[in-house]
Amino acid sequence: MSLSVTHTRAQLGVSAPLVTVETHLANGLPAFNIVGLPEAAVRESRDRVRSALVNSHFEFPQRRITVNLAPADLPKEGGRYDLAIALGILAASGQVPVESLAGAEFIGELALTGDLREVPGALPAAIACADAGHRLVVPRASGPAAALADGEILVAENLLQVCAHLHRRESLPAAQPPPAPARPQVADLADVRGQLRARRALEIAAAGGHNLLFYGPPGTGKTMLASRLPGILPALGQREQLEVAAVYSSAGLDFPGQRPFRAPHHSASPTALVGGGSNPRPGEISLAHRGILFLDELPEFPRHALEILREPLESGEVRIARARASVAFPAGFQLVAAMNPCPCGYLGEPRCRCTPDQVQRYRAKLSGPLLDRIDMHVEVAAMTAGQLQDAPTGEASAVVQERVVDARIRQQQRQATINAELRGNALEQQCSLGGPEQELLRRSVDQLGLSARSYHRVLRVARTIADLAGAASIGSGHIAEALAYRNLDRRQPIGAGA
Ligand SMILES: [Zn+2]
């Protein structure tokens, strides 16, 4: 027999399409050709596979070897296909039983010694492989990531071990999930003194999944507040955990074990923010999936970097265009941003020398459409030393989290989604208002000059406020509070009251 077929998986975003590796040995001048990978990847893979076979004391066939990877349009990184290619050659040359390859998939990069090296995207591959009913062999180092999937996932140190397994001389150990992360060190809301309005806003944002912008002078605790949001959100569900772990696996990173909190600096490149590259990797917005994306000093981010956030904020995913296809990554993050009220940060105080024009330009860096997508604008005021001292210690995160979870359960039972994701008919149905409430909202929106999009944001936030209160329908008080969180798109400048 001089023909063999093995199976492996490519990595496209968080999906892992099946790749078939056909190996054919023919008589003629010795040669080793790989079809279906880009030129550079072919060269490197050929060298690694040849050395790994020789150094593992296998015979490298002195024949005309043709390896075909199908489909042909595969990512440039060829390392992950090494193991399947090496086994294909061994099977085609009778060094491992051809039938032992059936029902199995193999992923791993080979070192020249024959050792198996970790590959990114082991979890998406393991999920797809389990769905196909196949067993999967991965490098030991990729085992913890892959083990989060259901299915038969085996780990091996090197090529020799895999071959001993295929000859049924040695069994491979099952992949073990990563050790449970130590009790996550999430900062507690109890540390925040005072700031009752901001704490209340944080609770509403957590309960409904709303985007939030804190504005106020430096040193008022905007970052401190934002970093406490993960601690009051419900724990990740099992499916959510798998989604988050798949993104991290595709980036070659360890699963954080809890809701992600990502805080990229404003100097981060657009690629670092949204993802990209020739073999696309997830960016910060995907690493924040099911968690928080915190953008401090929002106006300092380049305008075009902020504009590209608009689409994922609506759709919960990001598409990265490649030469022939586009790759999608999940990006269902909750945006929390912070900004100063003016370039110097002290608008309204005597020390502020910013001209109205400078303040206007600073604010104009945030486009209306982006601001529209942030449900809640919350002022975090400076407190005097005396106020700070008199302020009571706040509630602990665990107490707030209980209310948040209750409100989320109400949303799930009513509409099977969080309020922030209510759209179209569902929005109208779940947020229908009585006559007086409707009149109040209409009038307020007119007076404040809010956009149609803002109108819907107010409705969703009001729905969450009602849920926190355990109210079946949205009342005038809920609307009034929700309206108070639209400060930045009112006609009056910020700092002038609010
Ligand atoms: Zn200023």
Side-chain angles (χ1 to χ4, degrees):
M1 182 60 143
S2 53
L3 183 72
S4 73
V5 176
T6 53
H7 290 105
T8 181
R9 298 262 162 193
Q11 187 196 350
L12 275 179
V14 285
S15 67
L18 184 71
V19 173
T20 303
V21 181
E22 300 161 336
T23 306
H24 186 238
L25 303 190
N27 293 328
L29 282 178
F32 181 12
N33 293 310
I34 301 178
V35 187
L37 274 180
E39 196 61 36
V42 167
R43 246 189 336 264
E44 289 163 13
S45 185
R46 221 163 38 190
D47 292 346
R48 287 192 303 265
V49 168
R50 189 197 308 265
S51 298
L53 285 173
V54 171
N55 289 326
S56 305
H57 304 291
F58 289 107
E59 183 205 331
F60 191 80
Q62 292 305 307
R63 297 174 71 183
R64 201 177 166 74
I65 306 170
T66 307
V67 176
N68 180 35
L69 277 72
D73 177 26
L74 294 172
K76 289 193 177 62
E77 265 170 298
R80 60 196 299 106
Y81 310 118
D82 288 355
L83 178 59
I85 293 172
L87 293 173
I89 293 173
L90 289 173
S93 58
Q95 300 180 81
V96 301
V98 172
E99 61 278 9
S100 69
L101 301 173
E105 299 181 18
F106 305 89
I107 290 173
E109 177 172 330
L110 284 168
L112 302 183
T113 55
D115 284 346
L116 283 168
R117 283 188 175 145
E118 186 173 8
V119 292
L123 179 55
I127 293 171
C129 188
D131 285 347
H134 292 164
R135 66 181 190 282
L136 176 68
V137 178
V138 299
R140 177 180 289 278
S142 298
L148 293 170
D150 286 331
E152 191 182 356
I153 299 147
L154 305 173
V155 297
E157 301 271 6
N158 53 48
L159 181 59
L160 274 173
Q161 270 189 357
V162 179
C163 293
H165 162 74
L166 295 174
H167 278 290
R168 294 173 177 278
R169 286 199 298 260
E170 199 183 294
S171 58
L172 291 175
Q176 296 301 320
R183 212 177 154 62
Q185 289 296 310
V186 181
D188 200 290
L189 263 179
D191 312 333
V192 182
R193 293 180 87 92
Q195 301 298 5
L196 294 183
R197 260 179 63 93
R199 293 174 60 107
R200 165 77 176 160
L202 206 59
E203 179 173 336
I204 296 167
H210 305 291
N211 301 320
L212 177 67
L213 170 65
F214 286 127
Y215 66 91
T220 46
K222 302 187 291 280
T223 304
M224 191 176 176
L225 283 157
S227 64
R228 279 154 178 78
L229 182 50
I232 61 171
L233 285 168
L236 283 173
Q238 210 168 12
R239 230 189 76 187
E240 291 179 316
Q241 264 193 34
L242 210 54
E243 288 175 17
V244 175
V247 174
Y248 278 74
S249 172
S250 70
L253 298 172
D254 288 337
F255 171 50
Q258 54 182 312
R259 283 196 192 273
F261 181 86
R262 305 291 298 188
H265 191 254
H266 54 73
S267 63
S269 71
T271 304
L273 274 181
V274 297
S278 57
N279 186 28
R281 290 297 160 93
E284 290 291 336
I285 63 171
S286 296
L287 295 172
H289 181 60
R290 300 289 178 203
I292 315 297
L293 181 72
F294 177 55
L295 302 182
D296 199 6
E297 303 194 50
L298 190 64
E300 304 297 331
F301 280 80
R303 174 102 181 221
H304 69 280
L306 294 179
E307 292 306 302
I308 45 184
L309 293 182
R310 278 164 50 183
E311 177 61 28
L313 273 171
E314 289 294 321
S315 64
E317 69 165 21
V318 58
R319 298 203 145 266
I320 297 163
R322 295 175 69 235
R324 271 185 269 183
S326 78
V327 176
F329 283 106
F333 58 89
Q334 189 174 353
L335 177 65
V336 180
M339 66 183 281
N340 294 334
C342 67
C344 85
Y346 298 100
L347 189 71
E349 293 182 38
R351 61 174 139 170
C352 175
R353 295 265 179 273
C354 304
T355 65
D357 196 43
Q358 281 171 323
V359 175
Q360 202 47 48
R361 265 206 309 271
Y362 179 74
R363 287 223 11 229
K365 288 187 188 172
L366 304 180
S367 72
L370 178 70
L371 220 44
D372 263 0
R373 284 169 171 80
I374 301 179
D375 309 77
M376 305 171 69
H377 313 152
V378 182
E379 183 179 17
V380 185
M383 301 201 328
T384 63
Q387 282 174 325
L388 204 58
Q389 199 151 31
D390 294 341
T393 6
E395 274 180 310
S397 292
V399 180
V400 181
Q401 188 188 36
E402 267 179 47
R403 291 194 297 265
V404 168
V405 169
D406 284 348
R408 289 238 176 164
I409 290 171
R410 275 186 208 108
Q411 296 164 54
Q412 274 306 320
Q413 287 171 344
R414 185 178 59 229
Q415 66 213 19
T417 179
I418 52 175
N419 290 336
E421 283 166 10
L422 282 175
R423 300 277 184 281
N425 285 342
L427 175 69
E428 269 175 41
Q429 210 180 334
Q430 305 303 344
C431 302
S432 67
L433 299 176
E437 289 80 13
Q438 196 147 29
E439 174 57 25
L440 167 70
L441 184 55
R442 282 259 158 76
R443 215 177 44 233
S444 310
V445 162
D446 277 354
Q447 279 169 5
L448 300 171
L450 301 184
S451 68
R453 197 177 256 121
S454 291
Y455 176 92
H456 290 134
R457 302 256 157 209
V458 172
L459 265 184
R460 293 188 194 104
V461 172
R463 181 63 265 176
T464 300
I465 294 169
D467 284 330
L468 276 169
S473 54
I474 302 174
S476 300
H478 308 137
I479 293 175
E481 186 178 357
L483 279 165
Y485 298 123
R486 297 304 310 181
N487 285 323
L488 294 191
D489 46 10
R490 292 173 178 211
R491 289 196 187 104
Q492 72 195 50
I494 59 170

mmCIF file with all atom_site columns, all heavy atoms in Angstrom, residues 212-233:
data_model
loop_
_atom_site.group_PDB
_atom_site.id
_atom_site.type_symbol
_atom_site.label_atom_id
_atom_site.label_alt_id
_atom_site.label_comp_id
_atom_site.label_asym_id
_atom_site.label_entity_id
_atom_site.label_seq_id
_atom_site.pdbx_PDB_ins_code
_atom_site.Cartn_x
_atom_site.Cartn_y
_atom_site.Cartn_z
_atom_site.occupancy
_atom_site.B_iso_or_equiv
_atom_site.pdbx_formal_charge
_atom_site.auth_seq_id
_atom_site.auth_comp_id
_atom_site.auth_asym_id
_atom_site.auth_atom_id
_atom_site.pdbx_PDB_model_num
ATOM 1   N N   . LEU A 1 212 ? -21.141 51.561 29.400 1.00 0.00 ? 212 LEU A N   1
ATOM 2   C CA  . LEU A 1 212 ? -21.089 52.601 30.421 1.00 0.00 ? 212 LEU A CA  1
ATOM 3   C C   . LEU A 1 212 ? -19.883 53.498 30.198 1.00 0.00 ? 212 LEU A C   1
ATOM 4   O O   . LEU A 1 212 ? -18.814 53.020 29.830 1.00 0.00 ? 212 LEU A O   1
ATOM 5   C CB  . LEU A 1 212 ? -20.969 51.870 31.771 1.00 0.00 ? 212 LEU A CB  1
ATOM 6   C CG  . LEU A 1 212 ? -20.833 52.629 33.063 1.00 0.00 ? 212 LEU A CG  1
ATOM 7   C CD1 . LEU A 1 212 ? -22.123 53.386 33.341 1.00 0.00 ? 212 LEU A CD1 1
ATOM 8   C CD2 . LEU A 1 212 ? -20.583 51.638 34.207 1.00 0.00 ? 212 LEU A CD2 1
ATOM 9   N N   . LEU A 1 213 ? -20.090 54.797 30.376 1.00 0.00 ? 213 LEU A N   1
ATOM 10  C CA  . LEU A 1 213 ? -18.975 55.755 30.292 1.00 0.00 ? 213 LEU A CA  1
ATOM 11  C C   . LEU A 1 213 ? -18.931 56.577 31.576 1.00 0.00 ? 213 LEU A C   1
ATOM 12  O O   . LEU A 1 213 ? -19.917 57.224 31.940 1.00 0.00 ? 213 LEU A O   1
ATOM 13  C CB  . LEU A 1 213 ? -19.176 56.689 29.082 1.00 0.00 ? 213 LEU A CB  1
ATOM 14  C CG  . LEU A 1 213 ? -18.247 57.898 28.981 1.00 0.00 ? 213 LEU A CG  1
ATOM 15  C CD1 . LEU A 1 213 ? -16.800 57.466 28.763 1.00 0.00 ? 213 LEU A CD1 1
ATOM 16  C CD2 . LEU A 1 213 ? -18.684 58.812 27.844 1.00 0.00 ? 213 LEU A CD2 1
ATOM 17  N N   . PHE A 1 214 ? -17.800 56.522 32.260 1.00 0.00 ? 214 PHE A N   1
ATOM 18  C CA  . PHE A 1 214 ? -17.585 57.363 33.425 1.00 0.00 ? 214 PHE A CA  1
ATOM 19  C C   . PHE A 1 214 ? -16.836 58.609 32.989 1.00 0.00 ? 214 PHE A C   1
ATOM 20  O O   . PHE A 1 214 ? -15.829 58.502 32.296 1.00 0.00 ? 214 PHE A O   1
ATOM 21  C CB  . PHE A 1 214 ? -16.721 56.647 34.471 1.00 0.00 ? 214 PHE A CB  1
ATOM 22  C CG  . PHE A 1 214 ? -17.432 55.562 35.236 1.00 0.00 ? 214 PHE A CG  1
ATOM 23  C CD1 . PHE A 1 214 ? -16.897 54.288 35.313 1.00 0.00 ? 214 PHE A CD1 1
ATOM 24  C CD2 . PHE A 1 214 ? -18.620 55.820 35.909 1.00 0.00 ? 214 PHE A CD2 1
ATOM 25  C CE1 . PHE A 1 214 ? -17.531 53.286 36.037 1.00 0.00 ? 214 PHE A CE1 1
ATOM 26  C CE2 . PHE A 1 214 ? -19.261 54.819 36.636 1.00 0.00 ? 214 PHE A CE2 1
ATOM 27  C CZ  . PHE A 1 214 ? -18.709 53.547 36.696 1.00 0.00 ? 214 PHE A CZ  1
ATOM 28  N N   . TYR A 1 215 ? -17.303 59.805 33.401 1.00 0.00 ? 215 TYR A N   1
ATOM 29  C CA  . TYR A 1 215 ? -16.505 60.994 33.139 1.00 0.00 ? 215 TYR A CA  1
ATOM 30  C C   . TYR A 1 215 ? -16.380 61.811 34.399 1.00 0.00 ? 215 TYR A C   1
ATOM 31  O O   . TYR A 1 215 ? -17.285 61.850 35.233 1.00 0.00 ? 215 TYR A O   1
ATOM 32  C CB  . TYR A 1 215 ? -17.079 61.820 31.979 1.00 0.00 ? 215 TYR A CB  1
ATOM 33  C CG  . TYR A 1 215 ? -18.432 62.425 32.254 1.00 0.00 ? 215 TYR A CG  1
ATOM 34  C CD1 . TYR A 1 215 ? -18.547 63.694 32.800 1.00 0.00 ? 215 TYR A CD1 1
ATOM 35  C CD2 . TYR A 1 215 ? -19.590 61.726 31.955 1.00 0.00 ? 215 TYR A CD2 1
ATOM 36  C CE1 . TYR A 1 215 ? -19.802 64.250 33.070 1.00 0.00 ? 215 TYR A CE1 1
ATOM 37  C CE2 . TYR A 1 215 ? -20.838 62.259 32.222 1.00 0.00 ? 215 TYR A CE2 1
ATOM 38  C CZ  . TYR A 1 215 ? -20.926 63.518 32.773 1.00 0.00 ? 215 TYR A CZ  1
ATOM 39  O OH  . TYR A 1 215 ? -22.164 64.036 33.037 1.00 0.00 ? 215 TYR A OH  1
ATOM 40  N N   . GLY A 1 216 ? -15.233 62.420 34.544 1.00 0.00 ? 216 GLY A N   1
ATOM 41  C CA  . GLY A 1 216 ? -14.976 63.196 35.745 1.00 0.00 ? 216 GLY A CA  1
ATOM 42  C C   . GLY A 1 216 ? -13.492 63.468 35.847 1.00 0.00 ? 216 GLY A C   1
ATOM 43  O O   . GLY A 1 216 ? -12.704 62.912 35.084 1.00 0.00 ? 216 GLY A O   1
ATOM 44  N N   . PRO A 1 217 ? -13.107 64.333 36.781 1.00 0.00 ? 217 PRO A N   1
ATOM 45  C CA  . PRO A 1 217 ? -11.698 64.711 36.889 1.00 0.00 ? 217 PRO A CA  1
ATOM 46  C C   . PRO A 1 217 ? -10.820 63.520 37.270 1.00 0.00 ? 217 PRO A C   1
ATOM 47  O O   . PRO A 1 217 ? -11.327 62.508 37.756 1.00 0.00 ? 217 PRO A O   1
ATOM 48  C CB  . PRO A 1 217 ? -11.698 65.769 37.996 1.00 0.00 ? 217 PRO A CB  1
ATOM 49  C CG  . PRO A 1 217 ? -13.027 65.710 38.640 1.00 0.00 ? 217 PRO A CG  1
ATOM 50  C CD  . PRO A 1 217 ? -13.972 65.019 37.734 1.00 0.00 ? 217 PRO A CD  1
ATOM 51  N N   . PRO A 1 218 ? -9.504  63.654 37.035 1.00 0.00 ? 218 PRO A N   1
ATOM 52  C CA  . PRO A 1 218 ? -8.581  62.572 37.382 1.00 0.00 ? 218 PRO A CA  1
ATOM 53  C C   . PRO A 1 218 ? -8.626  62.290 38.878 1.00 0.00 ? 218 PRO A C   1
ATOM 54  O O   . PRO A 1 218 ? -8.918  63.184 39.675 1.00 0.00 ? 218 PRO A O   1
ATOM 55  C CB  . PRO A 1 218 ? -7.202  63.119 36.989 1.00 0.00 ? 218 PRO A CB  1
ATOM 56  C CG  . PRO A 1 218 ? -7.464  64.289 36.105 1.00 0.00 ? 218 PRO A CG  1
ATOM 57  C CD  . PRO A 1 218 ? -8.807  64.817 36.473 1.00 0.00 ? 218 PRO A CD  1
ATOM 58  N N   . GLY A 1 219 ? -8.384  61.048 39.244 1.00 0.00 ? 219 GLY A N   1
ATOM 59  C CA  . GLY A 1 219 ? -8.247  60.713 40.660 1.00 0.00 ? 219 GLY A CA  1
ATOM 60  C C   . GLY A 1 219 ? -9.561  60.508 41.386 1.00 0.00 ? 219 GLY A C   1
ATOM 61  O O   . GLY A 1 219 ? -9.596  60.428 42.610 1.00 0.00 ? 219 GLY A O   1
ATOM 62  N N   . THR A 1 220 ? -10.685 60.439 40.655 1.00 0.00 ? 220 THR A N   1
ATOM 63  C CA  . THR A 1 220 ? -11.968 60.265 41.332 1.00 0.00 ? 220 THR A CA  1
ATOM 64  C C   . THR A 1 220 ? -12.356 58.787 41.426 1.00 0.00 ? 220 THR A C   1
ATOM 65  O O   . THR A 1 220 ? -13.407 58.465 41.972 1.00 0.00 ? 220 THR A O   1
ATOM 66  C CB  . THR A 1 220 ? -13.093 61.025 40.599 1.00 0.00 ? 220 THR A CB  1
ATOM 67  O OG1 . THR A 1 220 ? -12.982 60.753 39.210 1.00 0.00 ? 220 THR A OG1 1
ATOM 68  C CG2 . THR A 1 220 ? -12.971 62.511 40.839 1.00 0.00 ? 220 THR A CG2 1
ATOM 69  N N   . GLY A 1 221 ? -11.528 57.916 40.870 1.00 0.00 ? 221 GLY A N   1
ATOM 70  C CA  . GLY A 1 221 ? -11.814 56.486 41.034 1.00 0.00 ? 221 GLY A CA  1
ATOM 71  C C   . GLY A 1 221 ? -12.554 55.855 39.870 1.00 0.00 ? 221 GLY A C   1
ATOM 72  O O   . GLY A 1 221 ? -13.180 54.815 40.034 1.00 0.00 ? 221 GLY A O   1
ATOM 73  N N   . LYS A 1 222 ? -12.485 56.481 38.674 1.00 0.00 ? 222 LYS A N   1
ATOM 74  C CA  . LYS A 1 222 ? -13.182 55.913 37.515 1.00 0.00 ? 222 LYS A CA  1
ATOM 75  C C   . LYS A 1 222 ? -12.652 54.514 37.190 1.00 0.00 ? 222 LYS A C   1
ATOM 76  O O   . LYS A 1 222 ? -13.425 53.574 36.972 1.00 0.00 ? 222 LYS A O   1
ATOM 77  C CB  . LYS A 1 222 ? -13.016 56.829 36.280 1.00 0.00 ? 222 LYS A CB  1
ATOM 78  C CG  . LYS A 1 222 ? -13.526 58.260 36.512 1.00 0.00 ? 222 LYS A CG  1
ATOM 79  C CD  . LYS A 1 222 ? -13.508 59.077 35.226 1.00 0.00 ? 222 LYS A CD  1
ATOM 80  C CE  . LYS A 1 222 ? -12.140 59.412 34.692 1.00 0.00 ? 222 LYS A CE  1
ATOM 81  N NZ  . LYS A 1 222 ? -11.485 60.561 35.369 1.00 0.00 ? 222 LYS A NZ  1
ATOM 82  N N   . THR A 1 223 ? -11.318 54.378 37.183 1.00 0.00 ? 223 THR A N   1
ATOM 83  C CA  . THR A 1 223 ? -10.717 53.076 36.882 1.00 0.00 ? 223 THR A CA  1
ATOM 84  C C   . THR A 1 223 ? -11.011 52.079 38.001 1.00 0.00 ? 223 THR A C   1
ATOM 85  O O   . THR A 1 223 ? -11.309 50.911 37.749 1.00 0.00 ? 223 THR A O   1
ATOM 86  C CB  . THR A 1 223 ? -9.196  53.230 36.708 1.00 0.00 ? 223 THR A CB  1
ATOM 87  O OG1 . THR A 1 223 ? -8.965  54.205 35.697 1.00 0.00 ? 223 THR A OG1 1
ATOM 88  C CG2 . THR A 1 223 ? -8.561  51.918 36.288 1.00 0.00 ? 223 THR A CG2 1
ATOM 89  N N   . MET A 1 224 ? -10.960 52.576 39.225 1.00 0.00 ? 224 MET A N   1
ATOM 90  C CA  . MET A 1 224 ? -11.231 51.734 40.389 1.00 0.00 ? 224 MET A CA  1
ATOM 91  C C   . MET A 1 224 ? -12.640 51.137 40.294 1.00 0.00 ? 224 MET A C   1
ATOM 92  O O   . MET A 1 224 ? -12.857 49.950 40.546 1.00 0.00 ? 224 MET A O   1
ATOM 93  C CB  . MET A 1 224 ? -11.109 52.621 41.629 1.00 0.00 ? 224 MET A CB  1
ATOM 94  C CG  . MET A 1 224 ? -11.102 51.896 42.934 1.00 0.00 ? 224 MET A CG  1
ATOM 95  S SD  . MET A 1 224 ? -10.839 53.112 44.259 1.00 0.00 ? 224 MET A SD  1
ATOM 96  C CE  . MET A 1 224 ? -11.000 52.077 45.682 1.00 0.00 ? 224 MET A CE  1
ATOM 97  N N   . LEU A 1 225 ? -13.601 51.968 39.895 1.00 0.00 ? 225 LEU A N   1
ATOM 98  C CA  . LEU A 1 225 ? -14.979 51.504 39.758 1.00 0.00 ? 225 LEU A CA  1
ATOM 99  C C   . LEU A 1 225 ? -15.098 50.477 38.634 1.00 0.00 ? 225 LEU A C   1
ATOM 100 O O   . LEU A 1 225 ? -15.687 49.409 38.804 1.00 0.00 ? 225 LEU A O   1
ATOM 101 C CB  . LEU A 1 225 ? -15.900 52.694 39.479 1.00 0.00 ? 225 LEU A CB  1
ATOM 102 C CG  . LEU A 1 225 ? -16.247 53.568 40.690 1.00 0.00 ? 225 LEU A CG  1
ATOM 103 C CD1 . LEU A 1 225 ? -16.659 54.968 40.243 1.00 0.00 ? 225 LEU A CD1 1
ATOM 104 C CD2 . LEU A 1 225 ? -17.372 52.913 41.499 1.00 0.00 ? 225 LEU A CD2 1
ATOM 105 N N   . ALA A 1 226 ? -14.523 50.814 37.480 1.00 0.00 ? 226 ALA A N   1
ATOM 106 C CA  . ALA A 1 226 ? -14.646 49.929 36.311 1.00 0.00 ? 226 ALA A CA  1
ATOM 107 C C   . ALA A 1 226 ? -14.070 48.553 36.597 1.00 0.00 ? 226 ALA A C   1
ATOM 108 O O   . ALA A 1 226 ? -14.657 47.533 36.227 1.00 0.00 ? 226 ALA A O   1
ATOM 109 C CB  . ALA A 1 226 ? -13.940 50.558 35.109 1.00 0.00 ? 226 ALA A CB  1
ATOM 110 N N   . SER A 1 227 ? -12.930 48.511 37.287 1.00 0.00 ? 227 SER A N   1
ATOM 111 C CA  . SER A 1 227 ? -12.268 47.234 37.516 1.00 0.00 ? 227 SER A CA  1
ATOM 112 C C   . SER A 1 227 ? -13.058 46.353 38.480 1.00 0.00 ? 227 SER A C   1
ATOM 113 O O   . SER A 1 227 ? -12.761 45.177 38.629 1.00 0.00 ? 227 SER A O   1
ATOM 114 C CB  . SER A 1 227 ? -10.859 47.461 38.065 1.00 0.00 ? 227 SER A CB  1
ATOM 115 O OG  . SER A 1 227 ? -10.941 48.085 39.326 1.00 0.00 ? 227 SER A OG  1
ATOM 116 N N   . ARG A 1 228 ? -14.094 46.915 39.107 1.00 0.00 ? 228 ARG A N   1
ATOM 117 C CA  . ARG A 1 228 ? -14.911 46.131 40.027 1.00 0.00 ? 228 ARG A CA  1
ATOM 118 C C   . ARG A 1 228 ? -16.153 45.548 39.364 1.00 0.00 ? 228 ARG A C   1
ATOM 119 O O   . ARG A 1 228 ? -16.913 44.807 39.996 1.00 0.00 ? 228 ARG A O   1
ATOM 120 C CB  . ARG A 1 228 ? -15.281 46.984 41.248 1.00 0.00 ? 228 ARG A CB  1
ATOM 121 C CG  . ARG A 1 228 ? -14.123 46.998 42.246 1.00 0.00 ? 228 ARG A CG  1
ATOM 122 C CD  . ARG A 1 228 ? -14.063 48.197 43.126 1.00 0.00 ? 228 ARG A CD  1
ATOM 123 N NE  . ARG A 1 228 ? -12.953 48.094 44.075 1.00 0.00 ? 228 ARG A NE  1
ATOM 124 C CZ  . ARG A 1 228 ? -11.662 48.324 43.754 1.00 0.00 ? 228 ARG A CZ  1
ATOM 125 N NH1 . ARG A 1 228 ? -11.334 48.640 42.508 1.00 0.00 ? 228 ARG A NH1 1
ATOM 126 N NH2 . ARG A 1 228 ? -10.707 48.193 44.658 1.00 0.00 ? 228 ARG A NH2 1
ATOM 127 N N   . LEU A 1 229 ? -16.350 45.870 38.112 1.00 0.00 ? 229 LEU A N   1
ATOM 128 C CA  . LEU A 1 229 ? -17.524 45.330 37.413 1.00 0.00 ? 229 LEU A CA  1
ATOM 129 C C   . LEU A 1 229 ? -17.503 43.797 37.299 1.00 0.00 ? 229 LEU A C   1
ATOM 130 O O   . LEU A 1 229 ? -18.525 43.158 37.556 1.00 0.00 ? 229 LEU A O   1
ATOM 131 C CB  . LEU A 1 229 ? -17.661 45.997 36.033 1.00 0.00 ? 229 LEU A CB  1
ATOM 132 C CG  . LEU A 1 229 ? -18.860 45.610 35.174 1.00 0.00 ? 229 LEU A CG  1
ATOM 133 C CD1 . LEU A 1 229 ? -20.164 45.703 35.944 1.00 0.00 ? 229 LEU A CD1 1
ATOM 134 C CD2 . LEU A 1 229 ? -18.938 46.478 33.922 1.00 0.00 ? 229 LEU A CD2 1
ATOM 135 N N   . PRO A 1 230 ? -16.355 43.172 36.934 1.00 0.00 ? 230 PRO A N   1
ATOM 136 C CA  . PRO A 1 230 ? -16.381 41.699 36.830 1.00 0.00 ? 230 PRO A CA  1
ATOM 137 C C   . PRO A 1 230 ? -16.834 41.031 38.124 1.00 0.00 ? 230 PRO A C   1
ATOM 138 O O   . PRO A 1 230 ? -17.475 39.982 38.085 1.00 0.00 ? 230 PRO A O   1
ATOM 139 C CB  . PRO A 1 230 ? -14.920 41.335 36.514 1.00 0.00 ? 230 PRO A CB  1
ATOM 140 C CG  . PRO A 1 230 ? -14.338 42.562 35.898 1.00 0.00 ? 230 PRO A CG  1
ATOM 141 C CD  . PRO A 1 230 ? -15.045 43.726 36.553 1.00 0.00 ? 230 PRO A CD  1
ATOM 142 N N   . GLY A 1 231 ? -16.556 41.653 39.250 1.00 0.00 ? 231 GLY A N   1
ATOM 143 C CA  . GLY A 1 231 ? -16.879 41.055 40.546 1.00 0.00 ? 231 GLY A CA  1
ATOM 144 C C   . GLY A 1 231 ? -18.361 41.090 40.892 1.00 0.00 ? 231 GLY A C   1
ATOM 145 O O   . GLY A 1 231 ? -18.794 40.423 41.830 1.00 0.00 ? 231 GLY A O   1
ATOM 146 N N   . ILE A 1 232 ? -19.157 41.878 40.151 1.00 0.00 ? 232 ILE A N   1
ATOM 147 C CA  . ILE A 1 232 ? -20.598 41.890 40.443 1.00 0.00 ? 232 ILE A CA  1
ATOM 148 C C   . ILE A 1 232 ? -21.406 41.259 39.312 1.00 0.00 ? 232 ILE A C   1
ATOM 149 O O   . ILE A 1 232 ? -22.626 41.160 39.393 1.00 0.00 ? 232 ILE A O   1
ATOM 150 C CB  . ILE A 1 232 ? -21.130 43.319 40.748 1.00 0.00 ? 232 ILE A CB  1
ATOM 151 C CG1 . ILE A 1 232 ? -20.933 44.255 39.563 1.00 0.00 ? 232 ILE A CG1 1
ATOM 152 C CG2 . ILE A 1 232 ? -20.455 43.894 41.987 1.00 0.00 ? 232 ILE A CG2 1
ATOM 153 C CD1 . ILE A 1 232 ? -21.643 45.608 39.749 1.00 0.00 ? 232 ILE A CD1 1
ATOM 154 N N   . LEU A 1 233 ? -20.733 40.825 38.253 1.00 0.00 ? 233 LEU A N   1
ATOM 155 C CA  . LEU A 1 233 ? -21.432 40.128 37.169 1.00 0.00 ? 233 LEU A CA  1
ATOM 156 C C   . LEU A 1 233 ? -21.643 38.670 37.569 1.00 0.00 ? 233 LEU A C   1
ATOM 157 O O   . LEU A 1 233 ? -20.881 38.128 38.367 1.00 0.00 ? 233 LEU A O   1
ATOM 158 C CB  . LEU A 1 233 ? -20.599 40.188 35.884 1.00 0.00 ? 233 LEU A CB  1
ATOM 159 C CG  . LEU A 1 233 ? -20.596 41.541 35.170 1.00 0.00 ? 233 LEU A CG  1
ATOM 160 C CD1 . LEU A 1 233 ? -19.515 41.566 34.090 1.00 0.00 ? 233 LEU A CD1 1
ATOM 161 C CD2 . LEU A 1 233 ? -21.955 41.831 34.564 1.00 0.00 ? 233 LEU A CD2 1
#
